[in-house]
Amino acid sequence: MAVVTIQIGQCGNQIGRQLFSTIHNDITAKQTAVSSSQNDDYTSASLQRFFRRETDMHMPEARAVMVDMEHKVVTRMMSEANKEGMWKYGKGQQYFKNSGSGNNWAHGYLVHGPEAQESVLELVRREAEACDRLGGFLCLMSLAGGTGSGLGAFITGCLREHFAHAHIINQVVAPYGDGEVIVQDYNTVLTLSRLHRDSDAVIVAENDGLHKVCATRLAHKHVAFSHMNSVLAHQLGALLQPAATCGRACTLSDMLEALVSHPDYKLLSMMHVPQVTAFLPLVFCLFRLFKRMLWAAFTRCLCTLY
């Protein structure tokens, strides 16, 4: 089942680009530690879930809609994807304007939201109609900024209204505890209140936790947002890539049924071991390290992550 990703704001677009690169690197890896037939099934299922590839396409296109109130980040993410030469964003699947939200949640929710509603929903409908079977939506956004939080919350509400039977998962990034934006606490509370109402699950990643993983587990001396985005992309990739359960690929519905047992318990977090370098495929790294380490060692690692 296909998943349409909606990248909102600077944070959402950066994470989305890294996520698609991570997934594509994983499914095109030569060292997989599984049989050829199993790898072919995995590759086919993953491509169908996250990319679309018509007969006249040279590269697969991400099932994504890019939204921001400024064009710079959207343009840069598209350029970086094209430079990789392995996948690309579809033309015409971007919405941006020339003025930001100024870290103002109300401006993103009450001003930019209604202005962008019709155009963004049309892009989403176009992407959803290109799916053979729509499994749901993955919204990537931050909690601190005005566009990611305010506009992201508004778009999530629109998705719930217009796609009432589709699953909606929001991946949100919480700001550093010592402060990035002076109104970040207000933005966070207002966003989470709307997402708790409209979303099926809210996966919360904290910059402090991601920074700690980069500094302690991956030994980065100078941690940058690109390092943190890579860790988060690996976590999302490990969660969302097709996994066989009872002889069939696990869907978003199966995942939500297991993780969100009650409508009021929607806030989720991700922790995974082992932490691996971004330059190796997920499956190969996990296979290699699981052969060397015992469950007790993995459990100790989990307890010290955050």
Side-chain angles (χ1 to χ4, degrees):
M1 298 179 71
V3 176
V4 174
T5 301
I6 304 174
Q7 307 172 182
I8 307 169
Q10 177 177 342
C11 175
N13 279 289
Q14 289 177 341
I15 293 172
R17 205 280 304 169
Q18 185 64 55
L19 174 62
F20 284 114
S21 293
T22 300
I23 290 173
H24 197 275
N25 290 339
D26 180 41
I27 61 181
T28 57
K30 295 182 180 179
Q31 295 176 304
T32 61
V34 296
S35 67
S36 177
S37 61
Q38 288 176 317
N39 186 60
D40 290 342
D41 292 341
Y42 176 78
T43 299
S44 176
S46 183
L47 280 172
Q48 190 276 334
R49 178 171 294 189
F50 296 104
F51 299 91
R52 55 190 178 94
R53 186 166 190 170
E54 307 296 340
T55 54
D56 57 341
M57 289 184 181
H58 298 292
M59 294 186 293
E61 286 187 358
R63 299 186 187 273
V65 174
M66 308 174 77
V67 181
D68 201 356
M69 289 300 102
E70 296 178 302
H71 68 90
K72 292 183 293 185
V73 174
V74 172
T75 304
R76 189 170 78 249
M77 294 303 103
M78 294 181 65
S79 176
E80 290 181 4
N82 289 333
K83 286 181 180 178
E84 289 183 11
M86 302 299 293
W87 64 277
K88 63 180 180 179
Y89 286 107
K91 292 183 178 179
Q93 288 303 97
Q94 295 78 33
Y95 176 86
F96 53 80
K97 303 199 70 161
N98 294 319
S99 60
S101 300
N103 297 321
N104 187 323
W105 186 91
H107 196 70
Y109 190 88
L110 298 174
V111 178
H112 288 316
E115 290 178 353
Q117 177 179 358
E118 185 177 348
S119 299
V120 172
L121 283 177
E122 179 58 31
L123 297 179
V124 173
R125 286 194 197 96
R126 188 188 307 169
E127 200 63 55
E129 290 172 356
C131 302
D132 292 333
R133 187 181 179 190
L134 177 64
F137 299 99
L138 172 66
C139 299
L140 306 174
M141 50 193 277
S142 72
L143 291 176
T147 299
S149 61
L151 181 59
F154 185 89
I155 290 176
T156 302
C158 293
L159 292 176
R160 175 54 65 211
E161 180 181 353
H162 289 81
F163 299 89
H165 300 292
H167 295 298
I168 302 174
I169 298 178
N170 288 77
Q171 163 65 59
V172 299
V173 180
Y176 282 105
D178 56 4
E180 299 174 40
V181 179
I182 193 170
V183 293
Q184 66 181 32
D185 294 336
Y186 299 106
N187 292 347
T188 298
V189 172
L190 290 168
T191 304
L192 289 177
S193 68
R194 295 304 191 277
L195 297 185
H196 192 271
R197 179 191 65 189
D198 297 324
S199 183
D200 292 306
V202 182
I203 305 174
V204 182
E206 301 177 13
N207 276 343
D208 290 304
L210 296 172
H211 190 283
K212 182 179 178 182
V213 170
C214 292
T216 60
R217 292 289 170 185
L218 301 181
H220 291 300
K221 294 182 179 179
H222 303 287
V223 178
F225 280 111
S226 59
H227 299 139
M228 297 160 61
N229 291 341
S230 178
V231 171
L232 182 53
H234 270 73
Q235 291 179 343
L236 281 172
L239 177 67
L240 298 173
Q241 284 282 61
T245 57
C246 301
R248 62 182 179 84
C250 179
T251 64
L252 289 186
S253 179
D254 297 325
M255 185 179 70
L256 291 172
E257 182 180 355
L259 297 177
V260 186
S261 57
H262 190 278
D264 287 338
Y265 304 139
K266 298 181 178 181
L267 297 183
L268 308 175
S269 60
M270 295 185 298
M271 290 188 291
H272 81 288
V273 289
Q275 298 292 338
V276 297
T277 176
F279 302 105
L280 292 176
L282 290 170
V283 174
F284 179 71
C285 290
L286 293 174
F287 175 81
R288 186 182 63 180
L289 291 172
F290 267 107
K291 288 182 65 177
R292 293 207 313 249
M293 298 180 68
L294 301 176
W295 279 109
F298 285 123
T299 304
R300 287 195 298 271
C301 291
L302 279 175
C303 293
T304 60
L305 275 181
Y306 299 116

